[in-house]
Amino acid sequence: MQIVTLKVNGESISVPVEDNWSLLRVLREELALTGTKEGCGMGECGACTVLLDGVPINSCLVLAREMDGREIRTIEGEAPQGELSNLQQAFLDNGAIQCGFCTAGMLMSARGLLMRNPDPTEEEVTEAICGNLCRCTGYKPIVAAVLDAATREKQHGR
Amino acid sequence: MADDVIGKSIPRIDGLDKVTGSAIYTADMKLPGMLYARMLLSPHAHAKIVSINTDRARSLPGVKAVLTGAELPYRVGLYMIDKPILASEKVRYFGEPVAAVAAVSEDIAHEAVGLIEVEYEILEPVLDAKKALEPDAPLVHEQLHTYECVKGVFCPMGGTNIANRFQLRKGDTEDGFKQCHKIVENEFYAPQVQHVPLETHSSIAHWKPTGNIQIWTSAQSPFAVRNLLSVALGISHARIRVIIPYLGGAFGGKAGIHLEPLVALLSKAAGFKPVKVTATRTEEFITLPCRQGLHARIKTGVSREGRILAQEIEYIWDAGAYADYGVNIGRASGYSGAGPYDIDNVKLDSYTVYTSKPFGTAYRGFGHVELFWAIESQMDMVARELEMDPVDFRMKNLLDVGSTTVTGEKITKHTGSVRKCLEAVAKEIGWAKDARPAKETNGKIRAKGIAVLHKAPAMPPNTASGAIIKFNEDTTVDVLVSGVDYGQGTATSLSQIAAHALKLPFEKIHFIWAKDTDYNPYDWQTVASRLTVMGGLCILRAAEDAIDQIKTTASGALGVDKEELDVDDGRVFVKGDKATGLDYKNVIMGYMFPNGNSIGGPVIGRGSYVAEGLTNLDLETGQGLPALCWTYGAHAVEIEVDTRTGEIEVTQLVSAFDVGRIINEALCRGQVIGGGVQGVGTALIEQYVYDGEGHLLSDSLTDYKIPTVRDVPHEMKQIFVETPHDKGPLGARGVAEHPMISVPPAIANALFNGTGKRIKALPLSPENVFLALHEDSKKP
Ligand code: FES
Ligand code: FES
C-alpha cells in the first residue's frame, strides 16, 4: 500500500493504493466514482476513458500508484453543479445514448477532443472515438452529437 | 391535446442519468459485508470430472464459501431444463463453470480458484453440429430422455444430440417439385457469434437467514429470473425478490437466467452474506452464452415465370452445450423459416443440436439473422438462375393480402406490407435492373444488393404482461410495467402511450425505472420486440381503468351519469361543457364534499394482457397460429469491395420497416441505425473461432472484433411504412430486433452483383472475400 494524491475533478484526494491497482479500480472502488465503467479491463473497449491532464486515456491500463499529483477528470466532473454541458445536452438531443454503458467513456473522449480542437471535422471526431466501442447506437448519432456540441460550444462555451 | 405526444421524438427519459454518470448498473453496486465470487472454468470442451479437491481453496484466509457441482443437484432452463448451475460429473464446453468461490475480496477469490484441483478424463468433443447427428457421435447429454421441457411444444430425441426437432409440412413438395421449370439447391452457414453487450453479466444475491432471497442483476426479465430460480430450487416465488437496475446492453444474452442461481447459493453457503459476481470480458465470451451457429440447406423449385412452387428447407442449429433457450430458436425459425413468401408447398425441418461448445441463446432476431442469411442469399441465387431481376423475382413471390403463411395464417390488410418496404428501399438506393456487371476502378468495385425480412415475437402462446398506473397527489402518475429498457427506448415510448391514454401532458408521467418483482406487475420477459406491443396494450387498459375510476368519483361528486362525462387536459367534465367539471387534482385521491363527506379514493389503474388467439403448432405439420404480429422490412445496400484486399466497405444502407404506427420517431431511428450496424458486424467481422479441441480462440475484444465507428456505413437511411396493426397499441408494432436481420445477405448479394462471386458462409471477412475473388488463380 502507498498513498497517492490525485486531483480528481478539481478536488485533491489522498488514497491508499496497492501496487497493482489500476486507476479505474481506484476511481470506482475506492472513490465511488462509478460513472466510469469497465467493459473489458484490458484496454480494448474505451468504457473506462477519463482525462489525464486533459488527455483521454483508458483508466484500466494505468496504475494508480503512478498517478500521484496528476489531474484526472471523469464523467462526474462534466456537470459538477448539475447543469449539463453542451456536450452532454448534444448527446441527449442527438439520440447518442441507448444503454448508456459506453456513454461516460464516449463523453470523455469527446471532451478531450474538444479541449484540444474546438472545431473538429467529422474525420477528427471519428478518429477521437475510434477506441470507444458502442454496441447499441451504431455510432452515427454519437458522431453527430460531438459535431453538434462543437458548434454549440463555439457559440456559448461549455 | 394529449394526442400530439404520439409520434413525437421525445428524448429518452433515462438520458439525463446516463450522460451524468449517475445511472447505477449492477456492476456499480456494493452492499455492506458483500463478498466477491470467482469461477473455476473448464479447460476442456468435453471431459469427465474424475475428482475435485477444494481443501486448499477452503483454507485460504478470507474465503467464505466454495461450491462444486456435486453439491448443487439442480438444473435450470427456460424451455428445456438441461443446464446445471455448476458442471457435475462432466463438462460440456471449454469455459463451463466447474467450481466457485466467495471471498472477502476479488483478489482472494481469484487466488482461491487457482487452488482448486480438478482431475479430468478427456472425452471426444463434438464440434460440428452436422457430425453430432451421425449415429456414432459422442453424446453431449446422455440423460436427455429424462430432462423436463415444455411438453407438446418441443420434441427432444433421447439417445441422440437432438434437443428439439421441429417440422413443418404445407402442401405437397414432392408434387410441387415435379411441376418446376428449375430447381436450385444450396447450403449456407452462419457461425456462432456473440452479443457483446458493453456491460458484462453481473449479479448480486443475498440469501437471508429468513430464507428470503434478494437479487440485483443485469437481467432482461426480472420475473423470468424469479420463476426459473423458484422452479430450480423449489422455493416459493414470494420468497424471491429480483431487482433490475440500469442494464448495459443485453440483445437477448441476458434473457432467461444466468449467474443468479450461483451467487444465490454462494450467499447461502457463505453464511447469508451478499455475494457479487461480475463476468470478466473473457468469461463473457467463453462462459456466458453466444448466438447459435446454423447449417442451412435450401432447395427451391420455380416455374418458368418465376413463381416458387416448392421449397424444402433443413436447418441444423449448432446449439452448443445447452439448449434451454435454443430449442425455441429452432422452433421459431422453423415456423417463420421460409421467409415472407407465398409458397404452396413447403417442407421444413429444424433441428436444435447439442455440441461441445459454448451454448447459444436468444440474440436480437432470435434465429432470423441466421435463417435470412440463407433464405435471402438463396432468393437472389434463384433469381439469377432464372435470369430475372432479384427485386422482380421477390415481388412475384412475396406475401400479400389474402395469401397464406407456411403455418396457415391468412395475411390481412392489417398484417403489414413487405412489398412496400422492398419498393421503398429499391427506389431509395436507385435500384437499376441492368446494373451488372459493375465497373472496376482502381481495384475497387461498387455494387448494390437487397434483401427482405420478417419476424414476429417468438414466445409461448400464453405470454402475459401487466401494468399499473397510480396517481400521485399532484396528478403526476407512476407507471409500472416490468419490461426492462436496456437501451431500446421503450420506457420513453410507453410513457408517451400513457400520457396519450390518460390525456395528460408528457411531463406528468413518472415511469418507474427500476424493476422490482416485489412491487411491479408481472411480465413474462423483455424479449422478442414485444414490449411496445404488449406493454403498450397493458398501459392502454390500465389507463382506461384509471379513467373509469376518475369518472365514477366525478359522477358521484357532480351528480351526473358516468356516461355523460369526458376527460381531457387533466380535467373530468360534462361532455361538451368543459367548465362543468372537476380538475383531476380534486378527484384522484377521492372527492370531498364541502361538508367533509368523501367518496372515491386513490386512483389505481390496472391493465393486463395475454397474447390472444395464438395456438401451439401441430407437431407433425407445424400448422397453427404462432405469431402475435409480424413486422416486415427490407434493406438495400451499396458496397465497395477492394479486389486487392477483399475488404468490403458499406457505402450505403437503406432500411425500411412496417412499424404500424410510429410512437417515437427518433427512438425508432435509433433502433434501426444501431441494429443495422450490428448486422454489419455479423456480416463482415464476427465469428467464434476454435482450435481442433474446442478451445475458443476468439475470447477477447482483440480476437473478436465488433464494429467500431470506422465500420459504419457511410450513409444510412431509415424509412418507415405505417400499416396500422389492428391488435397493436394505437396500431404499433415492435422493431427492436428487425434492423439487424437480412443485412448480411443484402451485402452478399451486392458482392455477387459486383463480382459474380457468391459466398455462402459468414462472415464476409477480407480473408473470405479475397479467397473467393481469387479462387481461380489458386488452382494449379
Ligand atoms: S475497460 Fe478499459 S478499455 Fe475496456
Ligand atoms: S449505448 Fe450501449 S454501448 Fe453505447
Side-chain angles (χ1 to χ4, degrees):
Chain A
M1 281 271 175
Q2 78 188 67
I3 309 271
V4 297
T5 302
L6 311 172
K7 200 162 174 204
V8 183
N9 300 328
E11 206 182 313
S12 258
I13 307 172
S14 295
V15 51
V17 305
E18 293 281 4
D19 275 2
N20 62 351
W21 286 2
S22 67
L23 174 60
L24 175 64
R25 172 179 175 151
V26 170
L27 290 173
R28 286 178 54 82
E29 303 292 326
E30 310 303 311
L31 305 181
L33 293 170
T34 53
T36 306
K37 303 300 181 203
E38 172 165 345
C40 70
M42 292 162 83
E44 295 163 347
C45 75
C48 65
T49 307
V50 299
L51 297 183
L52 176 62
D53 298 327
V55 179
I57 51 133
N58 290 328
S59 63
C60 68
L61 286 187
V62 299
L63 289 174
R65 69 180 150 89
E66 284 164 11
M67 293 297 108
D68 198 46
R70 310 287 293 272
E71 190 160 334
I72 288 134
R73 202 153 108 198
T74 70
I75 180 72
E76 287 87 354
E78 184 68 15
Q81 305 311 324
E83 196 166 316
L84 297 187
S85 68
N86 274 312
L87 181 60
Q88 289 168 314
Q89 192 60 50
F91 265 60
L92 291 179
D93 296 345
N94 287 276
I97 310 152
Q98 286 190 23
C99 82
F101 209 76
C102 70
T103 307
M106 285 287 179
L107 282 167
M108 288 297 106
S109 287
R111 174 54 68 209
L113 169 70
L114 295 181
M115 278 165 57
R116 62 178 188 274
N117 177 2
D119 196 11
T121 61
E122 186 171 333
E123 173 52 31
E124 285 165 337
V125 172
T126 300
E127 179 63 36
I129 63 163
C130 72
N132 292 81
L133 296 180
C134 173
R135 190 56 151 172
C136 303
T137 64
Y139 300 102
K140 277 222 178 296
I142 296 180
V143 174
V146 180
L147 290 169
D148 183 15
T151 312
R152 296 185 196 200
E153 299 200 346
K154 262 187 300 178
Q155 287 165 6
H156 312 291
R158 272 189 67 206
Chain B
M1 59 111 251
D3 232 2
D4 51 1
V5 76
I6 298 297
K8 259 204 184 161
S9 294
I10 292 181
R12 62 173 55 243
I13 58 172
D14 43 314
L16 207 56
D17 261 355
K18 289 172 177 175
V19 286
T20 53
S22 48
I24 302 291
Y25 299 72
T26 307
D28 301 331
M29 294 180 60
K30 219 184 232 180
L31 299 179
M34 190 173 84
L35 304 176
Y36 296 83
R38 292 258 50 99
M39 300 175 281
L40 177 70
L41 308 179
S42 165
H44 306 297
H46 196 190
K48 217 174 121 190
I49 300 173
V50 179
S51 67
I52 303 189
N53 186 339
T54 59
D55 294 348
R56 287 171 64 213
R58 282 179 206 277
S59 55
L60 187 73
V63 170
K64 300 295 179 191
V66 181
L67 287 178
T68 64
E71 298 154 72
L72 308 178
Y74 313 106
R75 266 203 309 269
V76 291
L78 182 66
Y79 293 107
M80 161 73 74
I81 304 185
D82 66 359
K83 209 163 52 177
I85 294 169
L86 291 170
S88 70
E89 291 174 29
K90 74 172 195 171
V91 291
R92 296 186 174 87
Y93 68 98
F94 167 71
E96 179 167 15
V98 173
V101 173
V104 295
S105 79
E106 189 106 35
D107 293 344
I108 295 175
H110 184 77
E111 192 185 336
V113 156
L115 297 174
I116 299 172
E117 294 145 37
V118 189
E119 195 188 326
Y120 295 98
E121 181 188 313
I122 296 180
L123 303 170
E124 189 192 340
V126 206
L127 300 175
D128 181 310
K130 280 166 126 178
K131 293 211 178 100
L133 291 174
E134 289 170 5
D136 56 347
L139 290 183
V140 181
H141 291 265
E142 294 82 355
Q143 300 301 316
L144 175 59
H145 59 285
T146 67
Y147 292 175
E148 280 185 49
C149 67
V150 184
K151 289 274 165 341
V153 178
F154 298 106
C155 306
M157 298 169 81
T160 75
N161 284 316
I162 300 174
N164 183 47
R165 185 203 63 204
F166 172 88
Q167 61 178 40
L168 183 143
R169 303 287 182 264
K170 181 191 180 197
D172 181 345
T173 40
E174 211 171 299
D175 191 53
F177 281 122
K178 278 193 203 133
Q179 329 271 333
C180 288
H181 161 63
K182 273 209 160 100
I183 293 174
V184 181
E185 184 169 349
N186 285 296
E187 291 189 23
F188 303 90
Y189 175 64
Q192 288 175 311
V193 300
Q194 220 219 20
H195 315 72
V196 195
L198 255 267
E199 176 199 37
T200 60
H201 286 69
S202 181
S203 303
I204 301 172
H206 191 185
W207 194 308
K208 303 194 181 162
T210 55
N212 290 350
I213 307 171
Q214 190 161 338
I215 291 174
W216 296 260
T217 185
S218 65
Q220 281 173 237
S221 313
F223 283 91
V225 171
R226 190 180 75 160
N227 184 47
L228 297 175
L229 195 65
S230 161
V231 171
L233 304 186
I235 291 173
S236 161
H237 290 89
R239 287 194 170 277
I240 304 171
R241 178 178 177 192
V242 178
I243 300 169
I244 316 288
Y246 276 103
L247 185 52
F251 312 109
K254 294 172 181 169
I257 192 163
H258 296 288
L259 299 172
E260 296 86 356
L262 178 61
V263 275
L265 290 159
L266 278 171
S267 171
K268 186 182 183 195
F272 308 110
K273 289 238 187 306
V275 176
K276 176 178 185 176
V277 69
T278 301
T280 63
R281 182 55 65 184
T282 304
E283 287 167 344
E284 190 71 22
F285 278 113
I286 70 174
T287 303
L288 285 148
C290 57
R291 185 173 82 194
Q292 305 187 125
L294 172 65
H295 301 267
R297 186 181 59 77
I298 306 179
K299 182 172 153 191
T300 310
V302 281
S303 71
R304 196 176 297 274
E305 298 72 40
R307 276 284 296 155
I308 304 174
L309 301 181
Q311 189 150 268
E312 201 179 281
I313 300 171
E314 183 181 76
Y315 292 139
I316 297 171
W317 293 94
D318 186 347
Y322 300 102
D324 80 303
Y325 221 128
V327 289
N328 200 37
I329 298 169
R331 172 179 166 274
S333 61
Y335 67 68
S336 79
Y341 296 99
D342 184 358
I343 311 171
D344 287 338
N345 306 297
V346 178
K347 175 173 181 237
L348 186 153
D349 295 279
S350 177
Y351 301 92
T352 308
V353 180
Y354 288 123
T355 58
S356 315
K357 298 203 241 174
F359 61 103
T361 191
Y363 179 17
R364 198 172 199 168
F366 208 65
H368 289 60
V369 176
E370 305 90 295
L371 78 87
F372 271 102
W373 162 242
I375 289 287
E376 285 301 280
S377 296
Q378 170 80 354
M379 289 301 119
D380 255 45
M381 293 171 84
V382 175
R384 294 303 179 196
E385 195 70 33
L386 285 164
E387 295 180 6
M388 271 181 82
D389 175 74
V391 173
D392 290 348
F393 173 69
R394 283 179 176 80
M395 283 298 179
K396 269 193 197 299
N397 289 288
L398 286 171
L399 291 170
D400 207 345
V401 176
S403 38
T404 315
T405 69
V406 284
T407 71
E409 180 188 346
K410 268 262 180 284
I411 301 294
T412 72
K413 65 178 198 293
H414 306 294
T415 316
S417 174
V418 60
R419 291 166 176 274
K420 282 191 188 159
C421 296
L422 178 57
E423 260 164 32
V425 298
K427 177 157 176 252
E428 182 62 35
I429 201 120
W431 185 260
K433 295 188 199 308
D434 46 9
R436 290 193 323 135
K439 273 208 313 285
E440 183 167 335
T441 20
N442 300 330
K444 291 187 176 177
I445 297 174
R446 276 204 180 210
K448 291 170 184 166
I450 49 125
V452 299
L453 63 110
H454 72 180
K455 185 185 177 291
M459 56 194 195
N462 63 344
T463 299
S465 294
I468 295 171
I469 284 179
K470 298 188 293 176
F471 270 88
N472 297 315
E473 295 90 317
D474 63 355
T475 73
T476 55
V477 179
D478 293 342
V479 175
L480 290 99
V481 298
S482 292
V484 177
D485 185 337
Y486 35 92
Q488 322 91 303
T490 347
T492 308
S493 43
L494 290 180
S495 299
Q496 286 171 262
I497 293 176
H500 165 85
L502 292 165
K503 314 254 172 142
L504 282 171
F506 183 75
E507 301 68 51
K508 292 273 186 189
I509 306 298
H510 174 222
F511 188 88
I512 306 291
W513 189 268
K515 303 304 167 201
D516 184 332
T517 54
D518 267 10
Y519 302 114
N520 285 62
Y522 175 83
D523 191 287
W524 175 65
Q525 284 218 79
T526 324
V527 294
S529 312
R530 60 180 278 281
L531 181 54
T532 302
V533 175
M534 295 192 62
L537 288 168
C538 288
I539 286 176
L540 289 178
R541 290 179 179 187
E544 201 179 308
D545 185 25
I547 289 174
D548 188 66
Q549 294 170 35
I550 288 172
K551 284 184 181 169
T552 303
T553 304
S555 147
L558 300 167
V560 178
D561 226 24
K562 207 164 95 178
E563 277 64 48
E564 298 300 308
L565 294 173
D566 207 351
V567 296
D568 200 2
D569 277 325
R571 232 177 119 67
V572 51
F573 51 85
V574 176
K575 275 183 189 158
D577 175 12
K578 226 171 177 172
T580 310
L582 294 163
D583 287 342
Y584 274 8
K585 197 168 172 8
N586 300 318
V587 183
I588 41 103
M589 292 292 151
Y591 175 77
M592 187 172 76
F593 289 98
N595 70 355
N597 282 173
S598 299
I599 54 168
V603 171
I604 304 171
R606 178 196 69 95
S608 51
Y609 179 78
V610 64
E612 284 155 12
L614 304 188
T615 68
N616 283 332
L617 299 177
D618 185 280
L619 290 178
E620 297 299 316
T621 64
Q623 297 301 297
L625 187 56
L628 185 61
C629 65
W630 294 97
T631 304
Y632 295 104
H635 295 288
V637 299
E638 183 196 61
I639 64 166
E640 186 172 270
V641 52
D642 189 329
T643 56
R644 296 157 307 185
T645 61
E647 236 168 309
I648 292 178
E649 255 183 72
V650 182
T651 46
Q652 274 191 72
L653 172 59
V654 178
S655 314
F657 299 94
D658 192 337
V659 297
R661 177 159 179 201
I662 292 178
I663 306 290
N664 183 317
E665 189 176 330
L667 291 174
C668 262
R669 285 192 196 284
Q671 287 305 295
V672 178
I673 297 171
V677 171
Q678 215 163 6
V680 170
T682 282
L684 301 185
I685 327 175
E686 299 179 36
Q687 66 175 324
Y688 267 21
V689 178
Y690 297 88
D691 70 9
E693 274 129 43
H695 302 114
L696 183 68
L697 301 176
S698 42
D699 63 353
S700 71
L701 290 167
T702 304
D703 296 314
Y704 184 102
K705 296 274 186 225
I706 64 168
T708 73
V709 64
R710 293 228 175 270
D711 301 303
V712 172
H714 304 185
E715 275 175 56
M716 295 179 83
K717 174 128 196 180
Q718 308 83 45
I719 301 166
F720 297 112
V721 175
E722 294 184 272
T723 311
H725 177 46
D726 53 348
K727 296 195 201 90
L730 314 173
R733 297 189 182 84
V735 71
E737 299 167 280
H738 309 76
M740 186 169 175
I741 305 169
S742 281
V743 174
I747 295 176
N749 292 342
L751 180 69
F752 177 85
N753 293 341
T755 66
K757 298 293 177 191
R758 173 62 61 180
I759 296 185
K760 295 190 273 184
L762 284 173
L764 306 167
S765 60
E767 181 185 355
N768 291 343
V769 172
F770 183 88
L771 290 175
L773 292 177
H774 299 272
E775 63 188 349
D776 307 329
S777 50
K778 248 184 3 200
K779 289 185 189 133

